[in-house]
Amino acid sequence: EQQFEDLDVKTGYMDDAMNATTATSTPADQVDELIGMVADENRLELGEEFAEAGLVGNKVPESQKVNPSAEKDDLQARLENLKN
C-alpha cells in the first residue's frame, strides 16, 4: 500500500512538472486566439468567467492539494514504524 502512495506522490510531481513546462512554453495569447476561433466556428459564446479565468495551469484542484502537516505526520509515522 505504501508503494502505491509513493507512486501517487511521484506521479503527481511529474504531472505538475509537465504541466508547468507546457504551460510556460505555450504563448497564452495564441491559446486564447485558438479558443476564440473554435468558439466562433461552433457559434459558442465565451462568458465573462472565461476572461476572468486567468492563465492555464495556475490553480490546483482542491482534491489534489497536499496538506503539508498531514504529509509530515505521515512521514513521521513511517519513520517511527521503521525504528520499531
Side-chain angles (χ1 to χ4, degrees):
E1 184 176 322
Q2 188 60 43
Q3 289 177 340
F4 287 118
E5 290 177 15
D6 291 344
L7 181 62
D8 286 342
V9 170
K10 290 176 183 177
T11 302
Y13 178 78
M14 289 301 296
D15 286 343
D16 291 345
M18 294 298 290
N19 287 337
T21 301
T22 56
T24 56
S25 65
T26 307
D29 57 337
Q30 290 181 358
V31 172
D32 291 342
E33 184 179 334
L34 178 62
I35 291 172
M37 287 173 33
V38 171
D40 290 342
E41 289 174 4
N42 294 291
R43 297 181 192 101
L44 300 174
E45 292 183 21
L46 300 177
E48 291 290 323
E49 293 83 16
F50 180 76
E52 297 172 359
L55 297 175
V56 175
N58 63 351
K59 294 182 182 179
V60 176
E62 290 295 323
S63 63
Q64 293 182 357
K65 288 187 179 178
V66 176
N67 184 352
S69 62
E71 185 177 357
K72 185 175 181 180
D73 292 342
D74 181 48
L75 290 174
Q76 187 64 34
R78 289 172 55 195
L79 178 62
E80 293 299 323
N81 189 28
L82 289 172
K83 287 181 180 179
N84 295 329

